[in-house]
Amino acid sequence: MTDQTYVQLLDLACGAFLLTGVLVLWRRDLAAIVRLFAAQGAALAAIVIVLGVRQASTELVVAGLALGGLRAGLLPYLIRRALPERGGPDAEGRETRPVVNVASSLVAAAVLALVAYAVAQPLIRIAPSPAAHALPVALTVLLVGFFVLVTRRRALSQVVGFLLIDNAITATAFLTTNGVPLVVELGVSLDVLLAVLVLSVLTNRMRAAFGGTDLDELRELRD
């Protein structure tokens, strides 16, 4: 792989990774948010595979394929199963009352991108490389994930915010190092899978017991 091809493919994968994270703030439909998360998982896998091909590392390529299967396939499938049925009695298929509206959220995303760029500059200067120059992308998605956690009311939206943070941490690890060992990455991924399984079960139980998963409404419940 030539240097130019490597940079172009890495930039393309990182651009898709960032775009899908920002679009989560734009969409309110939970099914669409899950699809965006799946697309981001595919972009994360592409980043790792490009790095693996560049370094001629079979382990990195295998890790990228495993990440793609988990974060673009299995995790979105589990979250999708926890979504309410379309046309059901509750209107939980949408994030109807976020703390911050869509326009303000997109402005906040732009501000977070500037903050991530400023924070990443000292790290980039330590070891400048195409991968290191993509670090602000991962940090932006990390901040966007935190923003989703604190501004969305639906439990499943917050699960996606948590997973955006996890994707960003994984991307940062691969962009700033020569890759983490496959065993370590698989162990972390299994922990994330377990967390999503537990959260999916809890979401279904909350819906069955209280008729909804709006966290603000659940806080108002009293014995």
Side-chain angles (χ1 to χ4, degrees):
M1 181 185 296
T2 64
D3 292 343
Q4 183 177 4
T5 302
Y6 164 63
V7 172
Q8 290 176 344
L9 290 176
L10 184 62
D11 287 346
L12 180 62
C14 289
F17 185 75
L18 175 61
L19 180 62
T20 50
V22 173
L23 288 179
V24 168
L25 297 175
W26 174 56
R27 298 305 302 266
R28 291 190 179 184
D29 182 70
L30 295 181
I33 289 174
V34 174
R35 288 194 294 270
L36 286 170
F37 169 70
Q40 187 182 74
L44 175 61
I47 291 172
V48 179
I49 291 172
V50 168
L51 293 173
V53 173
R54 173 65 174 180
Q55 300 173 20
S57 171
T58 303
E59 186 178 24
L60 272 181
V61 173
V62 172
L65 294 174
L67 279 173
L70 177 66
R71 307 200 183 196
L74 184 56
L75 290 180
Y77 168 75
L78 293 174
I79 300 173
R80 199 176 295 115
R81 289 194 60 179
L83 291 174
E85 294 182 3
R86 290 185 178 275
D90 53 31
E92 283 203 50
R94 291 179 59 83
E95 182 73 44
T96 54
R97 297 183 300 161
V99 176
V100 181
N101 62 34
V102 172
S104 299
S105 295
L106 294 177
V107 172
V111 174
L112 294 175
L114 293 175
V115 172
Y117 180 82
V119 170
Q121 289 312 299
L123 300 176
I124 295 174
R125 285 194 292 268
I126 293 174
S129 67
H133 279 87
L135 183 58
V137 169
L139 295 180
T140 299
V141 174
L142 178 69
L143 296 176
V144 167
F146 278 115
F147 188 79
V148 171
L149 277 176
V150 300
T151 60
R152 296 302 173 99
R153 299 174 185 268
R154 298 293 182 190
L156 286 176
S157 295
Q158 297 195 353
V159 170
V160 172
F162 165 75
L163 293 174
L164 290 181
I165 294 172
D166 183 68
N167 280 350
I169 292 173
T170 302
T172 301
F174 281 103
L175 290 171
T176 56
T177 67
N178 291 325
V180 295
L182 179 59
V183 174
V184 174
E185 177 55 38
L186 289 177
V188 173
S189 296
L190 288 175
D191 288 342
V192 174
L193 176 60
L194 178 61
V196 171
L197 284 171
V198 172
L199 291 171
S200 297
V201 171
L202 287 176
T203 299
N204 287 327
R205 291 298 182 93
M206 288 164 58
R207 186 178 295 115
F210 306 114
T213 59
D214 189 313
L215 299 184
D216 281 353
E217 292 180 359
L218 294 178
R219 292 190 188 100
E220 297 175 0
L221 294 176
R222 295 291 187 272
D223 293 332

